[in-house]
Every structure is written in C-alpha cells, then in structure tokens.
C-alpha cells in the first residue's frame, strides 16, 4: 500500500496546505479518503480524477467534504458516476452531497464490506457529526484512519496490528485536559500515541493539525509515548 497525504490541516487550511484528504493506493484500488478544501489539486500530482476507484468520507463536516462539490462538476461533465461511502447524517448535508454523480453507500457502525481483495470495516467515533473510523486490509497489510473522534477504548482493538495508523491530533495535550470527556471530539498527540502503542501499530501519522499548532511540541509530546511517529503535514508519500 501507498499513502499519499493530500492535506493534513483542519478545520481550515494553512497557506498552501489543504484540509483533510488522503489517497490510499492498493493493488485493488485508488481510494480517496476525505475530500476537503484544496485536496483535488494535490490529487492530480498522483492520479487523474478518472483513476479514483471510490471515495470514503468519515463524516460530513466541510473540511472533509468541500471538494466533493468541485469533483461533481468534473464527473457530470463526462457523464460519470462514482461510489461514495458517507454517513447518512446530518440530513441537510447528506441530501446536498448525494444528488447527481455520487452513488452513495451509507456507512453504519460495525459495517464490513469486501471490494475485490480489500476488507473494509467501520467504527463510529465520538464527534458532533456522526463520524467513522475506517480499517482497510489487503494481503495482510492494514491501514487505519480515525476520522474525527475523541478517545474511545474500542479504537485500540479496531486498529490492532495496523501497519500504518493515521490519527487526528487536533487538540494539544493541555487543551484536551480542560474538556469534559464526553465533549472531546478530537485526539491529542499523547492520546493518539497511546492508541498506536496499545494497538501495536508499526507507524503513527498525526493529522488534522491546526495551522497555528506548534508542530515540534506536538510531535515530541506524542513521542514520549510512542516512538515511530511522523507528522502528516511534513510527509507526502508513505509506502508500507
């Protein structure tokens, strides 16, 4: 598998850096995971729009879906459709996205699907919008992505033995301590590292990082818990 990081900022872009978007290239498919602001122009560095096999969006916040509207223009102009896996809520956003070129497949908690030799599983996270983590396995290689979620014990087992674990780290460690547990809708660096360590992951990539974040502190904080970590903002291509 190859992970191409198209955007790792959130909830808004930095100069020249898009919000959430990742191209996972497997033997079976080219999977676009998230389609946030500015992602499509980065995608063209790797493949054409026609080469996208299908799309997964963890949830329907704009920093994860805004470029779907732009991709719609391209697909419609060529009479094409594409499979899009998204949650069915909130209904207003869902109904806007599902019109036209997207063959929408609704994500549900604990859903499992098989596409060729790919095994894909979903787990609901903790977020104001219904949001899902995703685990993709092919020929023994495992990729895990948190989507937007606070800490949940279930994530550890869900991501067990992942070769590459892509986790949001939107909060700082100090920020997360000030928020009531049930209102924590993202992870901190230490929380992400704890999940990676307990899940026995090989590599952790931190993403969904605010433009104003002190990235050196973010990284060092996580490395206090788990050593093999990189920032998505400083990394473009990872083969695993």
């Amino acid at each position: 598998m190859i992970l191409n990081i198209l955007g790792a900022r959130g909830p808004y872009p930095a100069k020249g850096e898009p919000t959430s978007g990742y191209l996972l290239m497997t033997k079976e498919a080219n999977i676009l995971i998230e389609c946030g602001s500015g992602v499509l122009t980065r995608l063209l560095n790797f493949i054409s729009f026609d080469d996208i096999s299908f799309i997964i969006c963890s949830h329907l916040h704009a920093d994860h879906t805004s470029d779907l509207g732009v991709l719609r223009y391209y697909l419609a102009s060529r009479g094409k459709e594409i499979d899009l896996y998204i949650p069915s809520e909130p209904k207003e956003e869902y109904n806007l996205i599902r019109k036209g070129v997207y063959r929408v497949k609704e994500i549900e908690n604990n859903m499992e699907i098989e596409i060729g030799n790919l095994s894909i599983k979903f787990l609901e996270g903790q977020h104001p919008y219904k949001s899902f983590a995703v685990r993709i396995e092919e020929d023994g290689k495992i990729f895990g992505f948190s989507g937007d979620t606070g800490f949940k014990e279930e994530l550890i087992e869900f991501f067990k033995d992942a070769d590459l674990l892509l986790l949001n780290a939107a909060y700082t460690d100090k920020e997360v301590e000030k928020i009531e547990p049930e209102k924590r809708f993202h992870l901190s660096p230490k929380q992400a590292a704890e999940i990676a360590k307990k899940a026995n992951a090989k590599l952790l990539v931190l993403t969904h990082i605010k433009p104003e974040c002190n990235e050196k502190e973010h990284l060092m904080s996580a490395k206090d818990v788990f050593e093999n970590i990189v920032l998505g903002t400083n990394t473009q291509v990872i083969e695993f």
Side-chain angles (χ1 to χ4, degrees), residues 198-229:
K198 291 182 177 179
N200 193 38
K202 291 184 176 64
L203 174 66
L204 171 61
V205 181
L206 299 179
T207 190
H208 203 290
I209 297 171
K210 295 177 183 177
E212 61 269 25
C213 171
N214 183 321
E215 295 188 6
K216 183 177 179 180
E217 287 185 6
H218 229 54
L219 183 61
M220 295 311 296
S221 173
K223 285 197 170 192
D224 284 343
V225 178
F226 183 81
E227 180 61 29
N228 200 16
I229 304 176

Side-chain angles (χ1 to χ4, degrees), residues 17-213:
E17 297 181 70
T19 62
S20 295
Y22 318 96
L23 174 64
L24 183 66
M25 304 176 74
T26 76
K27 296 175 185 176
E28 182 73 33
N30 295 317
I31 310 165
L32 178 58
I33 302 173
E34 315 289 60
C35 195
S37 172
V39 163
L40 291 182
T41 189
R42 287 278 187 90
L43 176 78
L44 292 172
N45 291 327
F46 302 100
I47 61 172
S48 72
F49 298 148
D50 294 321
D51 291 327
I52 305 170
S53 302
F54 58 92
I55 305 168
I56 298 172
C57 290
S58 65
H59 67 294
L60 303 184
H61 270 140
D63 55 323
H64 297 255
T65 63
S66 59
D67 266 13
L68 288 175
V70 179
L71 183 59
R72 179 194 307 278
Y73 296 143
Y74 176 85
L75 295 170
S77 71
R78 285 152 177 80
K80 293 178 175 288
E81 295 184 346
I82 193 168
D83 288 346
L84 170 63
Y85 293 84
I86 56 172
S88 60
E89 299 173 13
K91 286 298 181 185
E92 183 176 357
E93 286 87 342
Y94 173 78
N95 288 332
L96 181 64
I97 290 171
R98 71 189 296 265
K99 296 176 183 177
V101 301
Y102 296 117
R103 296 188 296 263
V104 168
K105 317 287 186 181
E106 295 180 9
I107 303 173
E108 298 178 357
N109 194 28
N110 298 315
M111 188 170 91
E112 299 184 19
I113 58 175
E114 304 288 332
I115 299 176
N117 63 348
L118 294 172
S119 173
I120 305 176
K121 300 178 181 179
F122 298 94
L123 178 71
E124 188 168 354
Q126 178 174 296
H127 202 63
Y129 278 24
K130 186 172 284 191
S131 182
F132 291 90
V134 59
R135 174 188 172 109
I136 301 175
E137 188 168 355
E138 181 187 57
D139 296 341
K141 289 289 185 180
I142 299 169
F143 166 80
F145 171 55
S146 66
D148 280 7
T149 182
F151 184 87
K152 293 182 69 174
E153 287 287 341
E154 298 96 313
L155 291 168
I156 295 167
E157 182 61 31
F158 185 71
F159 290 136
K160 195 72 174 174
D161 297 326
D163 293 278
L164 190 153
L165 196 48
L166 180 65
L167 300 183
N168 86 78
Y171 292 146
T172 66
D173 295 315
K174 290 182 179 178
E175 281 177 327
V176 79
E177 291 174 359
K178 299 175 183 178
I179 304 170
E180 297 174 23
E182 66 274 11
K183 294 181 180 179
R184 295 173 181 172
F185 301 133
H186 295 278
L187 298 169
S188 72
K190 273 191 167 63
Q191 287 179 322
E194 181 181 346
I195 291 171
K197 182 178 181 179
K198 291 182 177 179
N200 193 38
K202 291 184 176 64
L203 174 66
L204 171 61
V205 181
L206 299 179
T207 190
H208 203 290
I209 297 171
K210 295 177 183 177
E212 61 269 25
C213 171

